[in-house]
Amino acid sequence: MVSRSAATATGRTLEMAKNRKTTRSVEPMQPYGKLKTRNYNDELAKLHVELVKLQQWVVHKGIKICIVFEGRDGAGKGGTIKAITERVSPRVFRVVALAAPTEREKSQLYIQRYIPYLPAAGEVVIFDRSWYNRAGVERVMGFCTDEQVEKFLAAVPAVEKAIVESGVILLKYWLEVSPEEQTRRLEARINDGRKIWKLSPMDLKSYSRWYDYSRARNDMFVASDTPWAPWFVARSDDKKRARLNIISHLLSNIPYEETPAEKVKLPKRQEPKDYKDTHYPFKFIPEMAWQAE
């Protein structure tokens, strides 16, 4: 178990970092009106077009992009990732969401299990939680020691610098949700058969440790918010606005251009010649009497 000292500081590394910068409390969300679904869909459609252009440019130029999403349970990471990947190819945009480490992986260098998933040329890799598990859930839930947390926070800036210097565009997002909105979302999962799978025993345990997570977040930012791999915070109480804001931000932080391409035209379909319709008894699925518009 992690002792109480892990909830306040992680040793000399953090003290040195705190001398360089301070972590501000997260400011409240701006009082914008609720975004209408129609307007959200219209704006998202425009951003999807740009994401497709980005995808084509990434493949054309062999760009390597890594996007990290972190935040509390219910902050909206999954919905944001789904909005990003909805209209692009899963062969280019790959989502990585690792399960709990095996006994073998626990014996490895901590960052080792994440390295194989980093992008190669022409790939965009999105981490739904990442190596920052050590600074967050593992620390708060007592799955690692104070010393392991301190070593991770001391090492991660250099690791990320090596990743960036290898040519990877690294973007790190923290989705900030209020305690009231988190409660509302987690309660909704309990009563929604479509979402109950999202609510794990770990979510319930971590829910009660709001301020432990806040301390862990603050220490993580102090240690790893660097010029080469800065943290970007997105207020996510309004999920639709958060998705649009994040997609707009990542597009603005990745230099891309529209890939030159010839105008697409469908070729003429061949003549049937001697082809005849088959009488094979295809097993068609039942067609239900769904309500028409």
Side-chain angles (χ1 to χ4, degrees), residues 29 32 35 40 44 47 69 75-77 79-81 83-84 173-177 185 233-250:
M29 190 172 182
Y32 296 120
L35 190 63
Y40 167 73
L44 185 59
L47 292 173
F69 282 101
K77 299 180 294 298
T80 300
I81 292 170
I84 293 171
Y173 291 101
W174 173 273
L175 274 63
E176 184 66 25
V177 65
R185 292 178 186 177
V233 179
R235 299 182 183 90
S236 64
D237 275 15
D238 186 330
K239 292 190 287 188
K240 292 175 182 177
R241 287 188 185 279
R243 293 168 190 169
L244 297 180
N245 289 337
I246 290 171
I247 297 173
S248 298
H249 184 271
L250 74 85

Side-chain angles (χ1 to χ4, degrees), residues 16-27:
M16 294 172 61
K18 286 174 181 176
N19 290 332
R20 290 187 286 109
K21 60 180 87 172
T22 57
T23 303
R24 297 181 179 179
S25 59
V26 178
E27 298 176 357

Side-chain angles (χ1 to χ4, degrees), residues 42-181:
D42 288 346
E43 294 302 324
L44 185 59
K46 296 175 186 176
L47 292 173
H48 281 158
V49 172
E50 294 304 312
L51 285 169
V52 171
K53 292 179 183 178
L54 171 63
Q55 172 182 266
Q56 294 172 318
W57 185 254
V58 164
V59 173
H60 179 64
K61 289 292 187 177
I63 308 296
K64 298 180 289 186
I65 300 173
C66 179
I67 306 172
V68 169
F69 282 101
E70 294 288 345
R72 305 173 196 270
D73 298 313
K77 299 180 294 298
T80 300
I81 292 170
K82 188 178 294 185
I84 293 171
T85 58
E86 186 178 354
R87 297 291 181 175
V88 292
S89 170
R91 290 183 293 274
V92 178
F93 280 72
R94 295 192 294 109
V95 179
V96 178
L98 299 186
T102 63
E103 289 302 315
R104 180 178 182 275
E105 288 171 334
K106 289 178 182 178
S107 69
Q108 295 176 337
L109 178 68
Y110 176 74
I111 197 71
Q112 185 175 341
R113 69 188 296 244
Y114 296 95
I115 298 298
Y117 297 96
L118 291 174
E123 293 180 346
V124 179
V125 172
I126 301 174
F127 280 93
D128 185 351
R129 294 197 185 278
S130 65
W131 46 90
Y132 284 101
N133 275 338
R134 172 129 298 177
V137 64
E138 290 189 15
R139 167 182 173 173
V140 173
M141 301 308 297
F143 297 151
C144 61
T145 66
D146 292 2
E147 182 181 8
Q148 288 173 320
V149 174
E150 182 176 347
K151 286 182 176 179
F152 168 78
L153 292 177
V156 72
V159 172
E160 291 180 346
K161 190 169 188 179
I163 291 173
V164 171
E165 289 180 346
S166 74
V168 175
I169 297 174
L170 177 60
L171 294 172
K172 302 186 303 190
Y173 291 101
W174 173 273
L175 274 63
E176 184 66 25
V177 65
S178 68
E180 297 80 14
E181 180 62 17

